[in-house]
Amino acid sequence: MALPFRALFLGPAGENAQIVEDFILEALRDHVFWRRNFHPEDGPFIRESDKRSEAYDASLMRLRQELYYLLSRLKQGAPLFSPRYIAHMTSDVLISSLVGYFAAMLYNPNNISEEAAPVTTELELEVGKQLARLVGYGPQAWGHLTSGGSVANLEALWAVRGIKFFAPAAAMVARELDLPDLPLKRADGKLTTLQAMTPWELMNVPLESVLKLREHLLRMPDPQILRRLDACSVASRGMLGFYRAFERAFDAPLPEPVLLVPATKHYSWVKTMDLLGGGREQIIELPLDEHYRIDPEAFRAMLEDLAASEVPVLGLVAVLGSTETGTVDEIHRLMEVKRSATRLGMDFYCHVDGAYGGYATARFRDPQGQWVKGPYDRAAAASFEALPETDSITIDPHKLGYSPYPAGALVFRDQRIREFLTVDAPYVFHEEDEPHATIGKYIVEGSKPGAAAAAVWINHRVLPLDTTGYGALISNTISCARMLRDALASHRSPEGIRLIPLNEPDLNLVTFIALPPDVGTHADLNRFNEEVYKRFAIHPNRRVFSYEFLLSKTAFDVKKYARGLHTRLDPQVWSMLEEGRPLTVLRSTIMNPFTKDMIEEGAFFSELLEALDREMRDAHGLVFGASKALEAR
Amino acid sequence: MALPFRALFLGPAGENAQIVEDFILEALRDHVFWRRNFHPEDGPFIRESDKRSEAYDASLMRLRQELYYLLSRLKQGAPLFSPRYIAHMTSDVLISSLVGYFAAMLYNPNNISEEAAPVTTELELEVGKQLARLVGYGPQAWGHLTSGGSVANLEALWAVRGIKFFAPAAAMVARELDLPDLPLKRADGKLTTLQAMTPWELMNVPLESVLKLREHLLRMPDPQILRRLDACSVASRGMLGFYRAFERAFDAPLPEPVLLVPATKHYSWVKTMDLLGGGREQIIELPLDEHYRIDPEAFRAMLEDLAASEVPVLGLVAVLGSTETGTVDEIHRLMEVKRSATRLGMDFYCHVDGAYGGYATARFRDPQGQWVKGPYDRAAAASFEALPETDSITIDPHKLGYSPYPAGALVFRDQRIREFLTVDAPYVFHEEDEPHATIGKYIVEGSKPGAAAAAVWINHRVLPLDTTGYGALISNTISCARMLRDALASHRSPEGIRLIPLNEPDLNLVTFIALPPDVGTHADLNRFNEEVYKRFAIHPNRRVFSYEFLLSKTAFDVKKYARGLHTRLDPQVWSMLEEGRPLTVLRSTIMNPFTKDMIEEGAFFSELLEALDREMRDAHGLVFGASKALEAR
C-alpha cells in the first residue's frame, strides 16, 4: 500500500514505537545539551552531592510515585488510536506533531510575542501562510493559531463586528469634525460619499471599501481623526453607547444586523453572539436542503426579505463539515447568491467554519499548488474551489490536521482585517522600530503555546497539504465512511432491526438510526437509540478495554432536518416523528488512517455489525420487553 | 540546601536529564503497551514488510529530515531555563508537568467532555478544587482550566454580565407574566420584592440574592418562566435589545454599569470589555497609591460619586500581581470599602486577576491547609487572606505554577455562578441520566487539551500548594527579586549612571530605570533606556548564546504612576517627566528556582551589574555622543 502515512503514525499496536522513542530521546538530548552550552561556566547547579541528599531523594520518590499513579489513571482513557474508535472527530496524531510538540515544549515558548518565542512565532506565521495557500487565499492573507475552533470563530466574528460598524463610526466622526466629502462605494457598486450614505447604506459598505476608507482616514494629516475614530468605535463605546451615539448624531436609528448561519448551527455561534453582546436573537438560521446543506434558494429569499425590511447582515457563516453530519455547504452557490444581493443594496462578510473540513481542501490541490478536481466529488470540489471568494476561514489542525490539542487556526483573506482586532499592551508590544512580528496584538488569547505551532508546522512539512499528503490521508478515511454507510444500509439484524443512514458522507462522518420493526413512537425510537448508544460510549464505571467499538451520538432537530429525514425515512417512520422532539441519532467519525486496512481484511464491518446486533438485541429487550413482533420472526 | 525542588527541574545544565529521560521513556512505553492490549487480535497494522517498502522509507526519511530541521531551528529559542533569563514571567517548568503533559498527550484527550476525556476531565476538576482550597474558597467552589489568563478573565466577566443583568431580566419576565411578588434583598440588606425595585436597585442586587432568585424562579411550576427568562436575557437579546426591551417595559432607562479596574489596567480587560460589547469606555480606572496598588480611599470616593449619579458597578477587578510591577492590591481593604458601599445601595461582583500572583497564596498555607501569616509580608498576607471574600479568581498554572503553556485557570467561589455561562451543544452534552461531569458546557473554549490538566494536576501532587512546596519555591524567588532591587539601588556605574528601582517587590518582579547623570529630558531618558533594553532583549538576528542576561521592559503612564514615581525619583528627574509621555522602564522577573544559588555563589549580581555597566556605557555613547559630563568624571 503506497499511502504516505505508514511511517508517520505510532500505529494501533505501537508498531512504530522505536521511531518515536528514537526521536523523543533525540529531541530531549538535543535540548539538554543545548542548555549546557549557554554559559557553561555557571553550572552545574544541581550537584552530585545534592542528589545524594535526603531532601532530593524524598522529592524524587514523590515524583516517581505520582508519575506511576498518573500513568495508571491515564489507562482508563479513550482508545482514540484504534480503528475501533469511530466516535468523535479525533484519532491518533502524526508522529511528527507528537515529537514536534514535545521538542518545542522543552523550550516552552510563549507565542504571545516573538520576544518570548522567537522561533515558534515564526513557525506559527508560516503555518498561517500554508493554510492560506491551501484554501487559495492570496499573498495578502494572514493566519495564526488559536486554542481551537471556538476561539477562532469568536475572533472572526469580533473582526466582523468591527468592520460592520466602521462606516457608521466614520460617518459620526466625519460629521463631528466636518471632514471633506469622502468617496465611498455602496453595495451596488455606485460611488457616493460617506457623508451622503443612509444608515442602511452605511451598514452595507463592501469590505474592500471599508478597508480603503480606513486606510484613507488614517493617512489624513489631522491626528484628531484617529483619536475620534477610536473613541467612536463600537469597541470603545460598546453596543449600547454606539447605537445611542449614532441616533443622537443622525436623528435616525441604525438598523441592527443579523448573523446568518446554517440551521445545523454549531453551538459555538450561539456562544459567540452571546459573548459579543450581539445577542443570540440576532442569529437567523438558514433552512437546510435534503443534504443538510444551506439551501441557496432559501438563502436568496431570506436576503430579499431582509433587504425589504432593511435589516442588514452582519455576516454569513458557511460550514465546511458540520459537526453533526459532516456536511459541506455549497460555498460556490452561496457566494453567487451573495454577489447577486448587491443589487438589493446588501453586502456582508463571509466566514467559513472549516474547523472540521478545512484540511479536506488538500484533496483538490496538487503538489505544485494547482487546483485539481480529482475523479470524485464534483459538487464538493466546487464548494472547496470557491473558498478564495470568502473572507476568512476557521481550520482546526487538531481535527483533520492530525495534530494534538490545542490547535485551531483562523485565516483572514486580507491581513488588513486583523487591524479591527488590535488592542495594545505596552509591555509586550513595542512600537518604536520594532523588529518583531507580533501575533498577540491581534488575538483573543494572550499567552499561548509555541509548541502547538511547532507541531502543526512540522506536520505540514512531513505530510504535504496536497493530494499526495493530507489529501490522500483524508480521502482514505472518507472512502471508509462511505463504505460504512453502505454496510449499515444493507445490513438486516436477525431480529429485523434496520440501520438507516441519515447522510451521504461529504467528509468522514456517518449518522444513522437503529430502527426496530416494532417501534411505534418517536419517544420509543429515541429510547432505543439511546440504549444502543450507551453500549458504545465511554462510561466512567466501565473498563475501557471491554469495548468492541466506540460510537457517539447527536440529536437532530426534526423540523430543521426535515427535508433530509423525509427523503431517507420510510413514510411510516417519518410520520411517527414529532416536530418538537429531537431525534436521537448514532454518529460515527472515521478518522483513523488504519481503518481501511481493517476493512480490507474483512474484519471491520463483520465485527461492527455483529457487535451492533448483539447490543441492539440487548437494548431491545430492555426498552420493549419480550416483544411478540421480534419473537415471531 | 533543603528546598524541595532540586529533583523537580531538569536543571540549568540539564543535571537531571537522566530522570527526565527515564520517565519520558517509561510514559511512552507504558502507553505503547497499553495500545497493544486493546484488541490485540486486530494487529499489527504496520507490518515489517511495510517497513522495508520504498514508500515507508521515503516518508521516514522526510520525517527524520524535518525533525532535524525543527531541532536546529528551536535552538534560537529564548533560554528560559537559565538564571540569566530575568525578563518575562516564565522560566523552566517542573519535570512532573513536562512528563505529565507528554504522558497524557500520547492519549490526546479532549477535555471538552468526559466522554472524550474520561480521565483528564476528572483531573481538571480536581485541579479546580485544589486551587479553590488554595485561595480559601469553600466546598461550593468550582474551577477549571483555560488556555490562559485572558480567556479566564473573559469568562469571568461574561458570567458577571449575566449576573448583573439577571434581576432586570427577571423583573421584565415578572411583569410580562404577572408573577406573584418575589421577595428580594436590596444591596443595603432590606427585604423588598423584585417587582418593587427601581432600575438602580435592580442593578445592585447582592450576588447571593441573584443566585437565590434564579433558583426560586427555576423551581416555579410554570415552564413558561424558564423560557421567558432565557428569551429576555442579555445573552439572548444582546446589549442593545436588552436595554431597549427594559425601557419599553418600564418606561425608564436602565443605568449602564461600569467596570472598575486598577489604573495599571492589564490590556486583557480592555480587550474583554471590547469583546463583550460593553465598550472600553465603560472601564473606570481606580487611582494607584505610591505602591501602584488601588488606593482604597480613592475607591471609596469613586463609589460615592458613582452612587450619587446612580451609575452601577458591573464588577471590581482587583489584581494579585500586576504584569507591570507585580503589585498585589490590598484586597482586604478593598473588600471593606465594598461592604461599606452597601449603605449607598451598591453591590457588585469582585473578581481577582491572580493570573500571575495566585500561586503565591501557597506561602500562607500550611500542609494541613491552615492559614499561616509567616514571618514576612504582613500587608501582603492580609491581601491573600481576604481572597475567600471575593467571587472568582484567575490563576495561571503556566506562570507561577511552573507548568508548560497552555494552562490558565478560573475558580468561582460558588459553582452556581457558572450557570450564567451555559450554552448547550446537543451532540456533546447529553442530558438524560448523564453520568459525566461536563466542563464544555460552562466555558468560552470548546476542544481543549486534557494533557494540560494532567500536567497541572501532577505538579500539585509533587509540589504541594503550601509553605513546604510552592510556597517555599515562590518565596525563594521573591527574596531574589528583593536582593536584586537592593543591588540595583546601591550600584553606581563607573560613569555615574544610576539604577533607580521603581518598586519594592510584592512578588518576584523588579522595575527600574537607568539614569545617566547628564540626561536632561524625558525623551532622552526613554531613548537611553530603550537602548539599554535592546542589548538585553531577544532579537531575531542575534545569536541567542551571545547574551549575558535577558531583561524585558514596560512603559509606565506617568500620570497614573505619579505617586509611586514621585516617591522614588529625585525632584530633578521627576520634574523632567512629561505627563503625556510613557516612561520606558526596565523590567525583570526572577522566577528561576536556581537564581538564588547563583546569587549565593556571588557571581550573579557582579556579572549582571558588569553587563549593565558595559551596555549602558555603549548605549550612552550612542544616545548622547561623547558627553562632556561623563568624560569629566
Side-chain angles (χ1 to χ4, degrees):
Chain A
M1 202 168 188
L3 278 173
F5 57 74
R6 297 202 159 259
L8 302 183
F9 289 92
L10 174 50
E15 296 92 329
N16 284 326
Q18 197 54 52
I19 296 175
V20 177
E21 214 169 287
D22 288 352
F23 282 128
I24 288 289
L25 276 183
E26 180 113 21
L28 176 58
R29 289 173 183 163
D30 192 66
H31 176 80
V32 164
F33 291 103
W34 174 78
R35 286 194 178 193
R36 212 166 280 181
N37 287 300
F38 183 65
H39 291 280
E41 73 276 18
D42 293 348
F45 288 81
I46 304 160
R47 305 226 167 70
E48 291 308 301
S49 57
D50 293 327
K51 296 187 183 173
R52 278 158 186 79
S53 73
E54 270 181 48
Y56 185 96
D57 195 57
S59 52
L60 190 57
M61 182 189 73
R62 194 161 187 159
L63 177 64
R64 189 176 294 273
Q65 190 63 58
E66 296 298 338
L67 278 168
Y68 283 130
Y69 184 48
L70 175 65
L71 293 183
S72 76
R73 281 189 75 167
L74 288 175
K75 288 172 186 294
Q76 191 52 18
L80 309 182
F81 67 89
S82 168
R84 291 171 181 269
Y85 183 88
I86 49 173
H88 292 288
M89 41 198 67
T90 179
S91 155
D92 207 0
V93 300
L94 288 157
I95 289 176
S96 38
S97 51
L98 186 64
V99 180
Y101 199 104
F102 176 73
M105 182 167 59
L106 293 165
Y107 292 81
N108 202 30
N110 177 356
N111 274 23
I112 189 172
S113 83
E114 214 174 16
E115 191 191 344
V119 178
T120 49
T121 306
E122 280 178 19
L123 299 181
E124 180 169 343
L125 295 173
E126 287 176 34
V127 164
K129 283 191 185 22
Q130 292 159 349
L131 293 174
R133 264 197 306 275
L134 171 66
V135 301
Y137 287 163
Q140 287 310 310
W142 188 82
H144 74 94
L145 295 176
T146 64
S147 70
S150 292
V151 169
N153 283 341
L154 170 61
E155 203 167 293
L157 203 56
W158 186 24
V160 173
R161 193 185 66 186
I163 290 166
K164 186 51 88 178
F165 291 112
F166 185 79
M172 282 189 263
V173 175
R175 176 168 293 210
E176 190 185 307
L177 302 181
D178 200 19
L179 298 182
D181 275 358
L182 294 155
L184 193 61
K185 264 196 190 150
R186 294 197 319 203
D188 61 9
K190 293 227 176 74
L191 195 67
T192 169
T193 67
L194 176 67
Q195 286 89 341
M197 278 192 174
T198 64
W200 161 254
E201 287 168 347
L202 288 170
M203 292 297 276
N204 282 287
V205 181
L207 174 59
E208 184 57 34
S209 304
V210 171
L211 296 172
K212 280 192 182 147
L213 172 64
R214 184 175 176 279
E215 288 180 324
H216 182 77
L217 287 167
L218 263 55
R219 274 197 309 267
M220 286 175 79
D222 183 357
Q224 184 73 348
I225 294 175
L226 190 55
R227 272 201 297 278
R228 294 308 303 159
L229 268 178
D230 184 55
C232 294
S233 67
V234 70
S236 201
R237 284 188 164 150
M239 295 294 281
L240 183 65
F242 186 84
Y243 270 83
R244 283 184 176 162
F246 187 91
E247 294 189 18
R248 261 199 316 275
F250 289 90
D251 204 22
L254 186 68
E256 200 174 1
V258 293
L259 181 73
L260 304 182
V261 305
T264 48
K265 190 169 65 169
H266 189 256
Y267 77 108
S268 79
W269 292 107
V270 179
K271 189 156 75 175
T272 298
M273 279 297 273
D274 168 355
L275 264 166
L276 289 171
R280 305 194 293 240
E281 243 176 34
Q282 271 62 253
I283 298 178
I284 291 188
E285 298 178 17
L286 296 172
L288 308 178
D289 69 11
E290 68 273 21
H291 299 290
Y292 316 112
R293 297 175 183 140
I294 293 175
D295 179 339
E297 288 315 310
F299 174 41
R300 188 189 304 274
M302 177 67 72
L303 291 180
E304 279 164 9
D305 283 358
L306 292 170
S309 43
E310 295 209 342
V311 174
V313 174
L314 183 60
L316 164 72
V317 176
V319 175
L320 214 60
S322 70
T323 8
E324 283 82 8
T325 55
T327 298
V328 172
D329 278 327
E330 294 171 288
I331 305 208
H332 51 301
R333 295 184 63 192
L334 301 178
M335 288 298 103
E336 189 273 319
V337 173
K338 187 200 143 177
R339 276 193 302 273
S340 74
T342 54
R343 63 171 175 80
L344 305 170
M346 294 186 109
D347 208 334
F348 49 87
Y349 191 100
C350 177
H351 176 74
V352 175
D353 186 351
Y356 171 25
Y359 271 89
T361 318
R363 303 168 71 213
F364 306 103
R365 209 165 273 295
D366 75 13
Q368 286 70 48
Q370 296 305 305
W371 195 256
V372 284
K373 303 238 178 218
Y376 39 69
D377 296 331
R378 251 164 234 291
S383 289
F384 287 93
E385 200 172 1
L387 287 176
E389 297 172 50
T390 65
D391 300 311
S392 56
I393 181 166
T394 292
I395 305 180
D396 281 1
H398 65 206
K399 292 194 173 84
L400 289 181
Y402 293 85
S403 280
Y405 302 103
L410 174 63
V411 188
F412 291 118
R413 182 172 49 78
D414 188 318
Q415 62 176 342
R416 291 174 295 173
I417 296 171
R418 68 182 180 168
E419 300 297 335
F420 289 88
L421 303 174
T422 307
V423 178
D424 285 313
Y427 63 94
V428 183
F429 315 114
H430 309 136
E431 283 165 54
E432 301 161 46
D433 57 330
E434 180 55 76
H436 301 297
T438 51
I439 294 176
K441 256 179 105 158
Y442 303 111
I443 62 174
V444 166
E445 296 167 90
S447 297
K448 57 205 283 281
V456 178
W457 180 86
I458 191 166
N459 273 357
H460 293 180
R461 298 277 295 200
V462 167
L463 195 67
L465 288 162
D466 60 38
T467 51
T468 68
Y470 276 101
L473 177 57
I474 294 168
S475 289
N476 167 296
T477 64
I478 294 176
S479 71
C480 292
R482 291 182 178 153
M483 283 188 269
L484 172 61
R485 188 210 159 277
D486 295 345
L488 295 170
S490 61
H491 180 66
R492 193 65 66 99
S493 84
E495 291 82 10
I497 302 172
R498 287 187 302 147
L499 299 166
I500 318 286
L502 296 180
N503 71 312
E504 294 76 45
D506 283 345
L507 293 174
N508 41 27
L509 198 160
V510 179
T511 51
F512 61 103
I513 51 168
L515 182 70
D518 54 346
V519 72
T521 67
H522 185 158
D524 275 354
L525 182 62
N526 277 4
R527 277 212 298 149
F528 179 68
N529 279 277
E530 283 288 344
E531 276 304 324
V532 175
Y533 158 73
K534 275 186 198 161
R535 286 160 169 75
F536 293 93
I538 298 275
H539 189 285
N541 295 330
R542 183 171 160 192
R543 308 299 307 170
V544 80
F545 277 9
S546 72
Y547 290 89
E548 294 290 317
F549 287 87
L550 290 122
L551 293 171
S552 63
K553 69 165 182 179
T554 188
F556 283 7
D557 181 311
V558 171
K559 198 170 165 187
K560 295 174 189 169
Y561 284 71
R563 285 169 64 183
L565 289 174
H566 184 72
T567 312
R568 290 175 185 83
L569 295 174
D570 295 343
Q572 162 254 345
V573 181
W574 166 249
S575 64
M576 194 193 293
L577 300 187
E578 302 160 38
E579 222 180 59
R581 187 189 291 278
L583 179 67
T584 300
V585 170
L586 299 168
R587 174 172 165 275
S588 169
T589 320
I590 298 195
M591 262 187 66
N592 196 292
F594 300 97
T595 309
K596 196 155 206 172
D597 288 5
M598 208 168 149
I599 291 175
E600 285 174 356
E601 281 168 15
F604 189 77
F605 290 128
S606 61
E607 290 195 30
L608 172 62
L609 293 168
E610 202 178 292
L612 274 166
D613 283 348
R614 188 173 56 248
E615 302 301 346
M616 290 194 299
R617 189 182 312 125
D618 194 43
H620 192 275
L622 199 92
V623 174
F624 299 101
S627 153
K628 282 221 155 45
L630 287 195
E631 280 170 12
R633 295 190 66 88
Chain B
M1 201 167 187
L3 278 173
F5 57 73
R6 296 199 161 262
L8 302 184
F9 289 92
L10 174 50
E15 297 92 329
N16 284 325
Q18 196 55 53
I19 296 174
V20 178
E21 214 170 290
D22 288 352
F23 282 128
I24 288 289
L25 276 183
E26 180 112 24
L28 176 58
R29 289 173 183 162
D30 193 66
H31 175 81
V32 165
F33 292 103
W34 174 78
R35 287 194 177 192
R36 211 167 281 180
N37 286 299
F38 182 67
H39 292 282
E41 73 277 14
D42 293 348
F45 287 80
I46 305 160
R47 303 226 168 71
E48 292 307 302
S49 57
D50 293 327
K51 296 187 184 173
R52 278 156 185 81
S53 72
E54 270 180 50
Y56 184 96
D57 195 54
S59 52
L60 189 57
M61 181 189 72
R62 191 160 191 160
L63 177 64
R64 189 175 295 271
Q65 190 62 60
E66 296 298 338
L67 278 169
Y68 281 129
Y69 184 49
L70 175 65
L71 293 183
S72 77
R73 281 189 76 167
L74 288 174
K75 288 173 186 292
Q76 190 53 16
L80 309 183
F81 66 89
S82 167
R84 291 170 182 269
Y85 183 89
I86 50 174
H88 291 288
M89 41 197 67
T90 178
S91 154
D92 207 2
V93 301
L94 287 158
I95 289 176
S96 38
S97 50
L98 186 64
V99 180
Y101 199 104
F102 176 72
M105 184 167 58
L106 293 164
Y107 291 82
N108 201 29
N110 177 356
N111 274 23
I112 190 172
S113 83
E114 216 174 12
E115 191 191 346
V119 178
T120 49
T121 306
E122 279 179 19
L123 299 181
E124 180 169 345
L125 295 172
E126 286 175 35
V127 164
K129 283 191 184 26
Q130 292 159 352
L131 292 174
R133 264 198 306 275
L134 170 66
V135 300
Y137 288 162
Q140 288 310 309
W142 189 82
H144 74 95
L145 296 175
T146 64
S147 69
S150 292
V151 169
N153 284 340
L154 170 61
E155 201 168 295
L157 203 57
W158 185 25
V160 173
R161 193 184 68 186
I163 289 165
K164 187 50 90 181
F165 291 111
F166 185 80
M172 282 190 263
V173 174
R175 176 169 291 209
E176 189 185 308
L177 301 181
D178 200 18
L179 298 182
D181 275 358
L182 293 156
L184 194 60
K185 265 196 190 149
R186 294 197 318 204
D188 62 7
K190 293 227 177 73
L191 197 66
T192 170
T193 66
L194 175 68
Q195 286 89 343
M197 280 191 172
T198 64
W200 162 254
E201 288 169 345
L202 287 170
M203 292 297 276
N204 283 287
V205 180
L207 174 58
E208 183 58 35
S209 304
V210 171
L211 295 172
K212 280 191 181 147
L213 173 64
R214 184 174 176 280
E215 288 179 324
H216 181 77
L217 287 167
L218 264 55
R219 274 198 309 268
M220 287 176 77
D222 184 357
Q224 185 72 348
I225 295 175
L226 190 55
R227 273 200 297 276
R228 294 306 303 157
L229 269 177
D230 183 56
C232 294
S233 67
V234 70
S236 200
R237 283 188 166 152
M239 294 294 280
L240 183 66
F242 187 84
Y243 270 83
R244 283 184 175 162
F246 187 92
E247 293 189 20
R248 261 198 317 274
F250 290 90
D251 204 21
L254 186 68
E256 201 175 0
V258 293
L259 182 73
L260 304 182
V261 305
T264 49
K265 191 169 65 170
H266 188 257
Y267 76 108
S268 79
W269 292 108
V270 179
K271 189 156 74 174
T272 298
M273 278 298 274
D274 167 357
L275 264 167
L276 289 170
R280 305 194 293 240
E281 242 176 36
Q282 272 60 253
I283 298 178
I284 291 187
E285 297 179 17
L286 297 171
L288 307 178
D289 69 11
E290 67 274 21
H291 300 289
Y292 316 112
R293 297 174 183 140
I294 293 175
D295 179 339
E297 288 315 311
F299 174 42
R300 189 189 305 275
M302 178 66 74
L303 291 180
E304 279 163 9
D305 282 359
L306 291 170
S309 43
E310 295 209 340
V311 175
V313 174
L314 182 61
L316 165 71
V317 176
V319 175
L320 215 60
S322 70
T323 9
E324 282 82 10
T325 55
T327 297
V328 172
D329 278 325
E330 295 172 287
I331 303 203
H332 51 300
R333 295 184 64 192
L334 301 177
M335 288 298 104
E336 190 272 319
V337 173
K338 186 200 144 176
R339 276 191 304 273
S340 75
T342 55
R343 66 174 170 77
L344 304 170
M346 293 187 109
D347 208 336
F348 49 87
Y349 192 100
C350 178
H351 176 74
V352 176
D353 185 350
Y356 171 24
Y359 270 89
T361 319
R363 302 169 71 214
F364 306 102
R365 208 164 275 294
D366 75 12
Q368 286 70 48
Q370 296 305 304
W371 195 257
V372 286
K373 302 235 179 220
Y376 39 67
D377 297 331
R378 254 162 233 290
S383 290
F384 286 94
E385 199 171 1
L387 287 176
E389 297 171 49
T390 65
D391 300 312
S392 55
I393 181 167
T394 292
I395 305 179
D396 280 2
H398 66 208
K399 292 195 174 84
L400 289 181
Y402 292 85
S403 281
Y405 302 103
L410 174 63
V411 189
F412 291 118
R413 182 174 50 79
D414 188 318
Q415 62 176 341
R416 291 174 295 171
I417 296 170
R418 67 182 179 168
E419 300 298 334
F420 289 88
L421 303 174
T422 307
V423 178
D424 286 312
Y427 64 93
V428 183
F429 314 113
H430 309 135
E431 284 165 52
E432 300 162 48
D433 57 330
E434 179 54 74
H436 301 298
T438 52
I439 294 176
K441 253 179 106 158
Y442 302 112
I443 61 175
V444 167
E445 297 166 89
S447 297
K448 57 206 284 280
V456 179
W457 180 86
I458 191 165
N459 272 358
H460 293 180
R461 298 277 297 197
V462 166
L463 195 68
L465 288 161
D466 60 39
T467 51
T468 69
Y470 276 101
L473 177 57
I474 294 167
S475 288
N476 167 296
T477 64
I478 294 176
S479 71
C480 292
R482 291 182 179 154
M483 283 188 269
L484 172 61
R485 188 210 160 276
D486 295 344
L488 295 170
S490 60
H491 180 65
R492 192 66 63 100
S493 84
E495 291 81 12
I497 301 172
R498 286 188 300 149
L499 299 165
I500 317 286
L502 296 180
N503 71 313
E504 294 76 45
D506 283 347
L507 294 173
N508 41 28
L509 197 160
V510 179
T511 52
F512 61 102
I513 51 168
L515 181 70
D518 54 347
V519 72
T521 66
H522 185 158
D524 276 353
L525 183 63
N526 277 4
R527 278 212 297 150
F528 179 68
N529 278 277
E530 284 288 345
E531 276 304 324
V532 176
Y533 157 75
K534 275 187 198 160
R535 286 158 169 74
F536 294 94
I538 298 275
H539 188 287
N541 295 330
R542 183 172 159 191
R543 309 298 308 168
V544 81
F545 276 7
S546 72
Y547 289 89
E548 294 291 317
F549 288 87
L550 290 122
L551 293 171
S552 62
K553 68 165 182 179
T554 187
F556 283 5
D557 182 312
V558 172
K559 197 169 167 188
K560 295 175 190 170
Y561 285 70
R563 286 170 64 181
L565 290 173
H566 184 71
T567 310
R568 291 177 183 83
L569 296 175
D570 295 344
Q572 162 254 347
V573 181
W574 166 249
S575 63
M576 193 193 295
L577 301 187
E578 300 159 40
E579 223 180 60
R581 188 189 291 275
L583 180 66
T584 300
V585 169
L586 299 167
R587 174 171 165 275
S588 168
T589 319
I590 299 196
M591 263 186 64
N592 196 291
F594 300 97
T595 309
K596 197 157 206 171
D597 288 7
M598 208 168 149
I599 291 175
E600 285 173 357
E601 281 169 16
F604 189 78
F605 291 128
S606 60
E607 292 196 28
L608 173 62
L609 293 168
E610 201 177 294
L612 275 166
D613 283 348
R614 188 174 54 248
E615 303 300 345
M616 290 191 301
R617 189 181 313 126
D618 194 44
H620 192 275
L622 200 90
V623 174
F624 299 99
S627 154
K628 282 222 155 42
L630 286 195
E631 279 170 14
R633 295 190 66 86

